[in-house]
Amino acid sequence: MANDYLKEHILLRHKDNPNIGDIDEYLSDGGYEGLKKALEEMQPAEVIEAVKASGLRGRGGAGFPTGVKWSFIPKGAKDVYIVVNADESEPGTFKDRELMEYNPHLVIEGAAIAAYAVGARTIYIYGRGEFKGPFVTLQKAVDQAYERGMLGKNIMGSDYSLDLHLHLGAGAYICGEETALLNSLEGYRGYPRSRPPFPAVEGLYAKPTVINNVETMANVPGIIRHGVEWYRQFGTEKSAGTKVFSLSGHVNRPGNYELPLGVPIRYLIEELGGGVPNGKRVKAVLPAGESSLMVPEDKLDTPMDYESMGAIGSMLGSASFIVMDETVDIVWAAEKMIHFFKHESCGKCSPCREGTYWLSNVYHRIRSGEGTMEDIELLPKIIEQMSGNTFCPLGEFATSPVKASLLHFRHEYEQYIKK
Amino acid sequence: MWSEAEQRELEEILKKYPTKRSALLPALYLAQREKNWLDDEDMEAVAEALDVPITDVHAVVGFYTLFRREPTGKHMIHVCTDLPCALRGAEEFYLRLTERLGLPPEGGTTEDGLFTLEAVPCLAACDKAPMCQIDLQYYENLTDETIDTVLAQLRAEAQQETKA
Ligand SMILES: Cc1cc2nc3c(=O)[nH]c(=O)nc-3n(C[C@H](O)[C@H](O)[C@H](O)COP(=O)(O)O)c2cc1C
Ligand code: SF4
Ligand code: FES
């Protein structure tokens, strides 16, 4: 048993089979059977239909249905690209790195199936510059896949040829945003692009492009190999499949845990994470890294799926659960998060660039004991001017720590003024 | 400016992309490899090799944190002090390290020119805090003792090199 909700690991298969990173072990575990089946028994359109029917949703944050995204690629388009998003810079998120380092062939196989489905000849995996080390491991797996004919000319004896290249960014959170990523990959500053045109129409080098997260790709081989019904036994109607949950902060056993979607937050923190150290209570949890709205302790029975997390006023996103215990100074935590967004704002639009700058100043004043009640009033005014006015979602993300901490823990701000 | 080996590496890199410009970040890494930072000459060489305007090269270098425009220590130490790591004592770990290296709280380069220390945002290793990257290699679940051992080793290596 992987855990009470999952018999065997699917994505984190290396936890059951530590050598799965080697192609021979991967093959003897049924690896590349999904790709083989797609190539030999299915038309590209059938692959897209299967992924649509599986209910798989993007694991990079937005939760967009993957098969639907693939179907946006114009039929018969030439020079289609697959880009795998391995930027993984959201604080609290460390699942894609583990997948690439320990189960790399699952990611490669998934991307290859995606490429076949949309008629792409080239895959780029874009990793954050800090993944230089993990990319050495991943490159070894890619080389093995080329040697065995899973990549390159006429893959697996078919008439379909496919190349896969790794590309490293150079330190910039914004490059995880898909259009900024494309600019970065083309050798430009990582500024987001305006949409439309959407990447499916004009993406990399202005060609139709599918961009998916690493973990999204890792879900694909199982869907094709075992079928839609098998996949749908995991998770809920609208949030199908399993998901890797990155658990960090105040827990005894931080780490990545795979669960079907829909398991209560409490199980992740208390059972898998071993609870909060020293018998402390949970004060709040950030369910999708620093971009998400924190939820207080009384929400821990919420099922971890896209709908339920939305219903409690937050989101599932990349499922990076950061636990803060009762001793955490929420104003300190919010200031740290604002510092992050100020640092990572690309500077292209003023509501985000200026907004994060002003927020940071106000937090500094409050935290250094020089704040007034008016400063607390100022915070919602600043985020109001940012909301809906920023060029990309980062500016919106930057308002989350302020909004949620004021909503649930306003008294902690007031204590700073009274001190 | 490019050595023959670097020239060959650059040619290999260029094969991956339909445009030369896409090789800009990899080429800048190559140019930065030897001395850890980029001078005007390095950037001009990259601009020329890829047919990219020099002003664009400057703009790109300025945008990304992993390219440096000034001399640094021999080894770059990036300690993550972002929220998840901070909840597990990373800020204190970082501050103690600055003290032991004789650096101010904002970090910097040690007197012997061996280390440049920086506090950085999340490095996707939050479950293994305190952690750092030294020259982009991961060092995780650190204590003061384990990081000191690593640094002592790097110091010894540097001494060997100067003797040799
Ligand atoms: C500021 C910002 C940062 C993002 N960072 C990442 C990231 O690191 N990794 C990722 O997969 N998606 C990230 N995304 C989401 C991507 O834009 C995109 O939606 C995703 O890669 C699509 O893949 P999916 O459908 O498989 O989730 C980010 C979005 C924004 C706005
Ligand atoms: S919202 Fe922020 S990150 Fe996004 S484009 Fe504007 S300045 Fe850049
Ligand atoms: S917060 Fe430090 S590695 Fe993620």
Side-chain angles (χ1 to χ4, degrees):
Chain A
M1 279 302 264
N3 54 59
D4 293 345
Y5 294 89
L6 190 66
K7 225 173 12 201
E8 289 179 298
H9 289 98
I10 301 162
L11 305 170
L12 301 181
R13 189 91 180 133
H14 54 279
K15 290 203 180 193
D16 304 331
N17 185 350
N19 295 325
I20 198 99
D22 185 72
I23 198 161
D24 285 313
E25 192 59 41
Y26 185 71
L27 283 167
S28 66
D29 197 57
Y32 288 110
E33 273 178 24
L35 178 60
K36 194 169 183 318
K37 183 170 167 192
L39 292 169
E40 289 178 359
E41 297 170 29
M42 297 168 83
Q43 292 298 317
E46 290 175 289
V47 177
I48 297 182
E49 278 316 307
V51 173
K52 258 193 203 169
S54 76
L56 170 63
R57 298 170 62 169
R59 305 299 197 223
F64 192 82
T66 305
V68 175
K69 185 186 271 190
W70 295 3
S71 69
F72 291 155
I73 297 293
K75 299 279 165 300
K78 276 214 167 72
D79 298 331
V80 179
Y81 289 101
I82 294 280
V83 176
V84 184
N85 190 341
D87 195 62
E88 191 159 67
S89 308
E90 178 66 44
T93 314
F94 42 87
K95 63 192 178 67
D96 297 337
R97 182 185 152 209
E98 179 164 339
L99 285 168
M100 291 188 293
E101 279 192 298
Y102 294 94
N103 200 0
H105 288 290
L106 189 67
V107 179
I108 297 169
E109 184 183 359
I113 296 170
Y116 172 72
V118 300
R121 300 283 150 147
T122 310
I123 300 168
Y124 290 101
I125 304 187
Y126 180 103
R128 58 183 298 185
E130 293 86 351
F131 282 172
K132 186 181 169 196
F135 264 35
V136 172
T137 313
L138 184 59
Q139 184 65 53
K140 277 187 195 142
V142 170
D143 292 344
Q144 279 188 325
Y146 265 103
E147 278 161 30
R148 302 300 181 89
M150 279 74 179
L151 291 171
K153 277 225 153 53
N154 301 97
I155 63 172
M156 300 187 95
S158 70
D159 56 6
Y160 177 65
S161 301
L162 177 65
D163 280 307
L164 188 157
H165 304 295
L166 305 187
H167 183 95
L168 284 172
Y173 169 75
I174 189 61
C175 290
E177 192 285 325
E178 58 189 25
T179 61
L181 186 156
L182 295 176
N183 277 339
S184 178
L185 184 46
E186 289 183 16
Y188 293 84
R189 282 180 291 192
Y191 282 157
R193 297 177 181 173
S194 51
R195 271 169 295 201
F198 287 92
V201 180
E202 265 181 52
L204 188 62
Y205 310 118
K207 304 291 184 197
T209 303
V210 164
I211 303 157
N212 275 128
N213 172 255
V214 167
E215 186 190 356
T216 309
M217 291 305 192
N219 274 270
V220 173
I223 295 170
I224 300 305
R225 179 175 160 213
H226 302 294
V228 168
E229 221 167 285
W230 169 85
Y231 189 77
R232 281 204 164 270
Q233 71 178 297
F234 306 105
T236 69
E237 176 61 29
K238 289 193 176 152
S239 300
T242 65
K243 172 94 193 69
V244 181
F245 294 83
S246 293
L247 180 64
S248 67
H250 287 142
V251 285
N252 281 309
R253 290 190 298 273
N256 283 317
Y257 296 100
E258 182 174 356
L259 287 166
L261 288 162
V263 173
I265 304 174
R266 193 180 293 286
Y267 180 77
L268 175 69
I269 295 175
E270 291 179 2
E271 300 302 320
L272 300 180
V276 180
N278 308 316
K280 295 244 164 37
R281 290 177 68 91
V282 173
K283 182 185 257 182
V285 174
L286 290 151
E290 296 185 13
S291 295
S292 61
L293 294 151
M294 64 176 81
V295 295
E297 194 257 347
D298 62 0
K299 297 285 190 289
L300 292 192
D301 292 313
T302 309
M304 298 183 291
D305 57 56
Y306 295 98
E307 288 67 40
S308 309
M309 293 306 294
I312 58 166
S314 191
M315 61 178 189
L316 183 70
S318 52
S320 327
F321 284 75
I322 307 170
V323 179
M324 296 186 277
D325 77 14
E326 57 188 317
T327 66
V328 171
D329 174 345
I330 290 292
V331 188
W332 165 82
E335 184 185 20
K336 275 197 87 65
M337 294 190 264
I338 289 306
H339 175 78
F340 173 80
F341 288 112
K342 177 176 159 240
H343 185 259
E344 298 300 340
S345 165
C346 82
K348 179 176 167 134
C349 69
S350 52
C352 168
R353 186 185 60 234
E354 305 289 316
T356 52
Y357 172 80
W358 286 113
L359 285 174
S360 166
N361 282 356
V362 176
Y363 271 99
H364 183 75
R365 257 203 316 273
I366 295 176
R367 287 253 305 136
S368 59
E370 281 158 27
T372 60
M373 284 308 209
E374 274 130 53
D375 282 322
I376 304 183
E377 303 302 331
L378 199 53
L379 292 172
K381 285 189 191 137
I382 299 174
I383 61 172
E384 207 175 296
Q385 287 175 21
M386 296 169 71
S387 279
N389 295 322
T390 61
F391 188 78
C392 88
L394 186 145
E396 198 76 42
F397 293 168
T399 67
S400 301
V402 186
K403 204 190 294 176
S405 62
L406 273 173
L407 177 67
H408 301 296
F409 304 101
R410 190 187 163 94
H411 56 278
E412 294 199 20
Y413 284 85
E414 288 167 0
Q415 275 160 12
Y416 263 102
I417 310 299
K418 285 183 201 135
K419 258 184 215 164
Chain B
M1 117 102 211
W2 306 104
S3 69
E4 247 174 69
E6 284 169 343
Q7 192 72 45
R8 270 197 303 277
E9 253 184 88
L10 193 59
E11 273 159 30
E12 282 306 306
I13 293 168
L14 281 166
K15 284 186 196 156
K16 297 184 359 184
Y17 312 101
T19 69
K20 278 185 168 180
R21 175 139 191 173
S22 262
L24 187 48
L25 302 188
L28 286 167
Y29 277 123
L30 196 58
Q32 183 174 259
R33 192 158 68 191
E34 201 179 306
K35 65 178 184 313
N36 245 356
W37 66 286
L38 295 159
D39 60 27
D40 290 342
E41 209 179 306
D42 296 325
M43 297 204 287
E44 269 157 36
V46 170
E48 208 168 296
L50 303 182
D51 294 327
V52 174
I54 185 71
T55 46
D56 282 27
V57 175
H58 276 269
V60 165
V61 166
F63 186 84
Y64 297 97
T65 58
L66 293 178
F67 298 126
R68 292 170 291 266
R69 289 287 285 122
E70 270 161 32
T72 65
K74 185 174 163 66
H75 300 289
M76 299 296 300
I77 311 174
H78 294 157
V79 177
C80 171
T81 56
D82 212 333
L83 180 65
C85 280
L87 293 170
R88 304 182 73 82
E91 285 186 322
E92 295 79 6
F93 169 82
Y94 165 80
L95 284 174
R96 289 194 303 271
L97 186 57
T98 59
E99 275 170 25
R100 293 203 303 290
L101 291 174
L103 294 171
E106 59 273 18
T109 301
T110 54
E111 226 162 73
D112 58 7
L114 219 43
F115 303 113
T116 298
L117 177 66
E118 264 176 51
V120 298
C122 183
L123 291 169
C126 332
D127 55 334
K128 302 191 178 71
M131 63 77 60
C132 74
Q133 285 196 328
I134 303 179
D135 305 328
L136 300 184
Q137 292 301 312
Y138 280 97
Y139 294 84
E140 302 175 319
N141 295 316
L142 292 168
T143 62
D144 290 359
E145 289 72 39
T146 53
I147 183 80
D148 283 349
T149 311
V150 174
L151 299 187
Q153 216 168 337
L154 292 173
R155 271 192 204 101
E157 272 169 32
Q159 256 170 8
Q160 285 287 328
E161 276 171 35
T162 42
K163 267 187 216 150

